[in-house]
Amino acid sequence: MKKKFVSCLISFTLLSSLSTPLLAKAQENTEDIKGSLVIAGGGIGTSNHEIYEKFLSLAGGKEKAKVGIIPAASTTLQSSKKFKEDLVKYGANSDSIKILPVSNHDFSDTQKDESTWKNQVNDKKLSRAIKGLTAVWFVGGDQTKIVDSLRQNNGSDSEALKAIWDIYRKGAVIGGTSAGAAIMSDVMITGGDSLGALKDSLENKENKHVSKNQRSQKEYEPLSIQKGLGFFQHGIIDQHMDERARLGRLAVAAYTSERDKEKNFAYGVDEDTAMVVNNKDQKIEVVGRSGVAVLDMSKAELVSKQKARSGLENIKVSYLSPGDKINYHLKSFEFPKERVETKGFEYYSFNALPATGVFTPYGRLKAYLSYSLVDNESMKSAKSYVYDSKGSGYEIAFQKDNDTNGYWRYTDGQKDDYSIVNVKMDITPKTFKFQPDRKTSLTYKKPTFSSSESPAYDSIKGNLLIAGGALGSSNSSVYNKFINLAGGKQAKIGIVPAASTKFDSSNQFKSDLIKYGVKAENIEILPISNHDFKGTSENESTWKTNMNSDKLAQKVKGLTGIWFVGGDQTLITGSLRNENGSNSKVLQAIWHTYKNGAVLGGTSAGAAIMSNTMLAGGDSYGALSYGFTNTYDDMNQQEGGPAYLEKGLGFFQYGLVDQHFDNKARLGRLIATAYEKGNKNQLSYGIDEDTAMVVNNKEKQIEVVGRGGITLVDLAKVQANDKFPSDYKNILISCITPGDKVNLTTKEIVINPAKTSTRKNEYYSEKVGPNTGLFSPHGVLRKFLAYDLVDNAQSKEIKSYAFNQNKGFELTFRKSAESNGYWAYTDGQKDNYSIVKVALDIKPIDVDIR
């Protein structure tokens, strides 16, 4: 059964005084500690070898490691057993890993009554066993159960806890995930979300004790803390930072701790990520797949803005990535040499919209600060919001300061990886009012673009692999699928570089194919382009005539796989179509090859070209507000504004395709395009990054492969207001994940049989507020629909908003008669959801913020 991360509020509530030190140190003498800490933010994937290998290395190496697992936080022993299995998978000796009898409660998946273990924490046999270990790991669940299991009723340390401290001082590594991370600092956050922390701590009203039943009736949860175990003495730790958007609650918790505010950073660790603490060097290294948010509260001020409501100003936010280091004593950062500074060399220049909900491009905190602010020369400041359904909330303003900087590099192939330092953050109380827009001042233009249908081949023997962008070199499932469809390791593959301005992505893809077993001599970067490439002596713009080369066309006919790299999709079509719009000889050869069994694949721009109508520009807010444009302003237009359409290459005959769907939040532009130019009897497909849609033409079926999901848009039952643009009812939204399939003609969705239906078996039963931006949990559409709607018994509908200044849209996601959710664990114990037929209504609104 799923593990529910329910925070406990009963042990220590935060009082309204914001200047009183709340907790004393757990341990005073920590300077002589020789051991290390591995503090993971939750959701560690079994495949995350960086964290597992680091933990075992610090434990003495996989052959010498002796690990004790403390299961106390969980309600079952499942996570402890799984962690042991994972350690063995990474080379540890099974006999050297023990699940320690530390708990204050019974476990639901055993015959024994483990609540009796509480009486064993002072047992000398347990203490001796712990003293023989080189590592201790705390699994996730409820952090208060860990503390209660290891401390005695009078608050003193048990003999077992003393033994853990003893081996830690002598050199052992202490690790933990989720709840096992929360217990690491003196000030242990036990409950709350960002809105609850801000409202109940900054509105000058005394917090009352809140029961679990009362919490389920509120849209937000107040901050609660208690005394942690204090293994990390240099700041407050919070976890699930990115997924649960906890920066606001961490800021409030850090501000209330006088010692931490003045002396230390506060740390928020993302899921599938760890901060590794080296006590000897007084440094922290970020390890894993995401990042660590770092708050400097030393100059933060409480400022009264409204009656009985206050804000926080002058907070400094940094966000570090894997490979970065923090000197926590000096409060400074170190970055790998290969990272490039963005200050003065910003790559982007577009007007980023405020982060307002699930239609916001780059709507997660780290990505938003990277693309929309720090690496964007057009932006000096950016905003987000958080509020309840009554409109009471806060504006979060991020601003470049003199010491703000960004550091960029590629990771895992050609994924952007950013580190961010010293962005100024101010939190100001605001009230929000949304009313129906009766007379819009926006000028919505319908598309004039017309795309004739490509030849409908009934007997296409080839397949398609359409990737949503940011394909990781380590994404073996996508690479292996493409290679297998191309004929295995004997495949003959041509790479079309035309979308890019450099050969880096083509060379990288060739290198990846070789790594996965394709012979180098069977891979060729094809001379297809209508422009010059940077960094070469040749002028590749002369390749434009190659599109009608008989020799090149003949070579293409001998390939078993063709791959289109990412970049600007209009450059691909411009390199393969004649000026009169007809197919060149090379494009005809590609069609011939495809029809006769080859696989065609592409990522990002290479995905956009796959359908007849190609989405080449615009964002969700721009498409819904302004409609469509006939002009194209190069790559900048891909970041925002009205939608821009061109004729695609038409290899995919069953609907529209869009890409970068999760990271760039393109649901709105796909809906607008599908309504104006799509076939209402077909689905439209939005493909997430690092994910592929595999099209089997023979079976007329698609399958999801990779690490994200595919969003399906069904307009068969849509109702639209012809007198008012972008006023829709009854759009059906589904989100499918790896292993799920869809019939392209019947639209039947076949869910991976390993998943369990949530309908009438919802795990959660909580009242939730609207998704409003960077401080709202579950910021990605699929997660928002999963946790807050389909797997939540209390929710019949949930809302989000997309707006800029005083105009925008209210999005209402409703459970329909056909709605269902499907859940399973994936990659260890990560929640994995599929969502079927949630109804979406979009209503234009006027916005008043005061």
Side-chain angles (χ1 to χ4, degrees):
M1 189 58 188
K2 285 175 286 185
K3 177 172 62 181
K4 185 178 181 182
F5 298 94
V6 180
S7 302
C8 181
L9 296 177
I10 60 174
S11 52
F12 196 104
T13 55
L14 177 66
L15 300 180
S16 58
S17 171
L18 293 175
S19 59
T20 305
L22 296 176
L23 302 168
K25 285 187 179 182
Q27 297 280 331
E28 290 293 341
N29 300 314
T30 61
E31 291 79 7
D32 59 342
I33 294 174
K34 297 178 181 178
S36 302
L37 300 172
V38 176
I39 305 173
I44 302 177
T46 299
S47 62
N48 194 331
H49 63 89
E50 293 93 347
I51 292 178
Y52 283 98
E53 289 173 357
K54 176 66 76 171
F55 180 70
L56 287 173
S57 174
L58 293 171
K62 58 187 179 183
E63 295 178 356
K64 296 182 179 180
K66 296 180 180 179
V67 183
I69 301 171
I70 294 182
S74 184
T75 57
T76 70
L77 286 179
Q78 180 181 0
S79 54
S80 298
K81 293 176 180 177
K82 187 66 176 68
F83 187 72
K84 179 176 180 177
E85 289 176 10
D86 290 341
L87 291 177
V88 173
K89 173 186 171 184
Y90 282 97
N93 187 334
S94 179
D95 294 336
S96 299
I97 306 169
K98 305 294 182 185
I99 298 176
L100 301 176
V102 177
S103 177
N104 66 350
H105 61 279
D106 188 26
F107 293 98
S108 63
D109 57 347
T110 68
Q111 298 297 318
K112 297 179 181 179
D113 181 4
E114 290 84 4
S115 63
T116 60
W117 287 357
K118 171 68 174 174
N119 301 321
Q120 298 183 37
V121 290
N122 289 311
D123 187 281
K124 292 183 179 179
K125 183 179 178 181
L126 176 59
S127 296
R128 285 195 300 269
I130 291 173
K131 289 181 179 180
L133 300 174
T134 62
V136 173
W137 183 267
F138 295 88
V139 301
D142 182 345
Q143 47 265 49
T144 64
K145 292 178 179 178
I146 300 175
V147 175
D148 187 60
S149 298
L150 285 170
R151 284 220 174 95
Q152 303 185 86
N153 293 335
N154 63 1
S156 62
D157 293 355
S158 66
E159 293 301 315
L161 183 53
K162 290 177 182 177
I164 294 171
W165 267 101
D166 182 63
I167 64 171
Y168 176 42
R169 289 184 185 280
K170 292 177 179 178
V173 58
I174 310 297
T177 184
S178 187
I183 54 97
M184 294 288 181
S185 50
D186 283 338
V187 178
M188 181 175 75
I189 301 175
T190 59
D193 53 39
S194 286
L195 180 59
L198 292 168
K199 288 182 68 66
D200 281 33
S201 300
L202 300 184
E203 295 190 3
N204 299 331
K205 59 182 180 180
E206 183 178 350
N207 276 339
K208 306 294 183 180
H209 171 73
V210 183
S211 70
K212 180 179 177 181
N213 183 59
Q214 287 173 319
R215 287 202 317 276
S216 70
Q217 302 303 314
K218 296 184 71 175
E219 296 176 0
Y220 51 86
E221 183 181 345
L223 174 69
S224 64
I225 64 174
Q226 72 172 56
K227 187 177 180 181
L229 298 185
F231 298 121
F232 181 68
Q233 287 283 304
H234 308 284
I236 299 174
I237 303 291
D238 207 348
Q239 14 78 46
H240 297 282
M241 178 58 54
D242 54 348
E243 176 59 33
R244 303 186 191 180
R246 286 173 166 171
L247 191 71
R249 86 167 189 178
L250 179 60
V252 172
Y255 186 84
T256 60
S257 174
E258 198 71 22
R259 176 173 63 89
D260 284 296
K261 172 190 169 185
E262 299 297 334
K263 184 179 179 182
N264 299 309
F265 287 145
Y267 304 86
V269 190
D270 288 351
E271 293 187 355
D272 219 6
T273 308
M275 49 183 278
V276 178
V277 181
N278 184 318
N279 286 295
K280 182 179 178 180
D281 293 342
Q282 297 185 325
K283 289 184 179 180
I284 296 166
E285 181 182 5
V286 182
V287 175
R289 290 181 174 151
S290 188
V292 174
V294 182
L295 290 184
D296 184 349
M297 305 294 294
S298 59
K299 297 181 180 178
E301 299 175 334
L302 185 71
V303 182
S304 295
K305 295 290 184 180
Q306 293 184 4
K307 184 178 180 181
R309 300 183 71 195
S310 300
L312 283 173
E313 294 187 347
N314 296 322
I315 301 166
K316 283 296 181 73
V317 179
S318 300
Y319 225 117
L320 303 199
S321 296
D324 299 342
K325 293 183 179 180
I326 307 162
N327 187 317
Y328 55 76
H329 178 65
L330 298 176
K331 295 178 74 174
S332 62
F333 305 119
E334 299 175 14
F335 302 100
K337 292 181 180 179
E338 60 268 27
R339 287 200 183 276
V340 178
E341 289 189 45
T342 64
K343 191 172 185 177
F345 304 95
E346 291 85 356
Y347 183 80
Y348 294 94
S349 181
F350 65 93
N351 183 25
L353 296 177
T356 58
V358 295
F359 272 18
T360 300
Y362 313 113
R364 303 290 281 274
L365 180 64
K366 181 182 173 186
Y368 185 77
L369 293 181
S370 299
Y371 294 100
S372 297
L373 182 63
V374 174
D375 200 18
N376 190 337
E377 67 176 357
S378 296
M379 299 293 290
K380 303 300 181 186
S381 62
K383 294 179 179 179
S384 186
Y385 307 94
V386 62
Y387 44 84
D388 59 23
S389 60
K390 296 181 179 179
S392 174
Y394 297 84
E395 175 187 270
I396 304 101
F398 299 97
Q399 185 175 327
K400 287 178 181 175
D401 219 334
N402 291 332
D403 56 352
T404 301
N405 207 342
Y407 299 85
W408 169 90
R409 69 174 177 183
Y410 278 136
T411 184
D412 190 16
Q414 288 195 309
K415 293 182 179 179
D416 287 332
D417 182 39
Y418 283 96
S419 302
I420 301 157
V421 296
N422 297 324
V423 170
K424 182 175 178 287
M425 180 174 75
D426 298 332
I427 303 172
T428 306
K430 298 282 185 178
T431 56
F432 301 80
K433 189 174 183 180
F434 305 107
Q435 292 183 318
D437 186 353
R438 303 297 184 188
K439 188 176 181 180
T440 185
S441 59
L442 301 176
T443 303
Y444 181 94
K445 294 182 179 180
K446 287 184 170 290
T448 58
F449 163 81
S450 178
S451 175
S452 59
E453 293 292 314
S454 293
Y457 295 109
D458 295 327
S459 59
I460 294 176
K461 297 178 182 178
N463 302 291
L464 299 172
L465 190 147
I466 308 173
L471 180 61
S473 295
S474 64
N475 195 330
S476 59
S477 59
V478 173
Y479 277 96
N480 286 329
K481 190 72 172 182
F482 180 73
I483 293 168
N484 289 337
L485 291 172
K489 295 180 180 179
Q490 302 301 317
K492 296 181 179 180
I493 296 171
I495 300 171
V496 178
S500 185
T501 57
K502 299 184 294 184
F503 280 113
D504 291 6
S505 51
S506 298
N507 289 328
Q508 178 68 55
F509 189 72
K510 180 176 180 178
S511 176
D512 290 340
L513 291 176
I514 294 170
K515 182 179 77 172
Y516 283 101
V518 181
K519 294 180 180 179
E521 59 268 28
N522 287 353
I523 308 167
E524 182 175 351
I525 298 174
L526 301 174
I528 298 173
S529 176
N530 64 353
H531 59 279
D532 191 26
F533 287 84
K534 298 177 182 177
T536 68
S537 57
E538 184 176 357
N539 181 3
E540 290 83 7
S541 64
T542 61
W543 288 1
K544 185 169 183 178
T545 59
N546 289 348
M547 71 170 73
N548 287 306
S549 165
D550 291 324
K551 183 179 179 180
L552 182 56
Q554 195 62 34
K555 179 179 289 187
V556 166
K557 289 181 180 180
L559 299 174
T560 61
I562 298 172
W563 184 265
F564 298 87
V565 301
D568 184 339
Q569 46 265 51
T570 66
L571 297 178
I572 300 176
T573 55
S575 300
L576 285 171
R577 279 216 176 90
N578 297 311
E579 291 185 4
N580 63 2
S582 63
N583 290 355
S584 67
K585 290 181 180 180
V586 170
L587 183 52
Q588 291 173 29
I590 293 172
W591 268 103
H592 173 86
T593 306
Y594 175 42
K595 183 180 179 182
N596 284 279
V599 58
L600 306 184
T603 182
S604 186
I609 54 98
M610 292 290 180
S611 48
N612 287 315
T613 298
M614 180 175 76
L615 287 82
D619 66 348
S620 288
Y621 179 82
L624 292 172
S625 298
Y626 307 109
F628 299 82
T629 179
N630 294 325
T631 60
Y632 183 64
D633 183 20
D634 200 29
M635 292 288 286
N636 283 337
Q637 195 161 328
Q638 295 191 23
E639 301 300 332
Y644 174 72
L645 307 178
E646 278 195 11
K647 183 180 179 181
L649 299 185
F651 301 125
F652 181 65
Q653 295 281 304
Y654 302 96
L656 299 172
V657 171
D658 208 348
Q659 17 78 43
H660 294 284
F661 210 69
D662 50 351
N663 201 32
K664 298 194 179 183
R666 287 174 163 170
L667 178 61
R669 87 166 189 180
L670 182 58
I671 289 170
T673 306
Y675 181 78
E676 298 287 0
K677 302 302 299 182
N679 181 337
K680 304 293 191 299
N681 294 318
Q682 293 180 329
L683 297 174
S684 295
Y685 304 84
I687 308 171
D688 289 350
E689 294 185 350
D690 217 6
T691 307
M693 181 171 89
V694 180
V695 182
N696 184 318
N697 284 299
K698 182 179 179 181
E699 301 292 334
K700 291 183 170 52
Q701 178 178 270
I702 68 162
E703 178 184 3
V704 188
V705 176
R707 291 175 174 151
I710 296 175
T711 300
L712 310 175
V713 176
D714 188 345
L715 298 183
K717 299 179 180 178
V718 71
Q719 300 172 25
N721 184 348
D722 292 334
K723 296 180 180 179
F724 210 103
S726 302
D727 187 348
Y728 300 111
K729 292 183 179 179
N730 292 328
I731 302 166
L732 290 181
I733 305 294
S734 300
C735 301
I736 55 176
T737 54
D740 299 339
K741 299 177 180 180
V742 179
N743 186 294
L744 291 164
T745 54
T746 67
K747 301 192 291 189
E748 179 187 5
I749 299 171
V750 180
I751 299 297
N752 185 334
K755 295 175 183 173
T756 303
S757 171
T758 63
R759 187 165 185 167
K760 298 183 179 179
N761 188 36
E762 292 87 355
Y763 192 78
Y764 300 95
S765 183
E766 299 172 355
K767 190 173 182 180
V768 295
N771 186 290
T772 62
L774 303 180
F775 277 17
S776 288
H778 316 305
V780 174
L781 176 68
R782 176 163 46 91
K783 300 288 187 72
F784 176 53
L785 297 182
Y787 290 103
D788 287 358
L789 184 63
V790 298
D791 203 16
N792 188 347
Q794 276 203 52
S795 290
K796 304 301 180 186
E797 65 178 38
I798 53 177
K799 294 182 183 295
S800 183
Y801 295 88
F803 57 87
N804 184 28
Q805 297 179 344
N806 64 341
K807 293 290 182 181
F809 301 93
E810 179 184 75
L811 317 175
T812 303
F813 298 91
R814 299 180 283 107
K815 287 178 179 174
S816 71
E818 302 171 285
S819 295
N820 205 344
Y822 298 87
W823 170 90
Y825 278 136
T826 185
D827 191 16
Q829 295 192 64
K830 295 182 180 181
D831 286 333
N832 180 28
Y833 283 96
S834 299
I835 297 135
V836 173
K837 295 184 178 179
V838 165
L840 167 62
D841 301 336
I842 300 177
K843 180 187 296 184
I845 54 171
D846 289 320
V847 183
D848 183 19
I849 304 175
R850 298 184 182 182

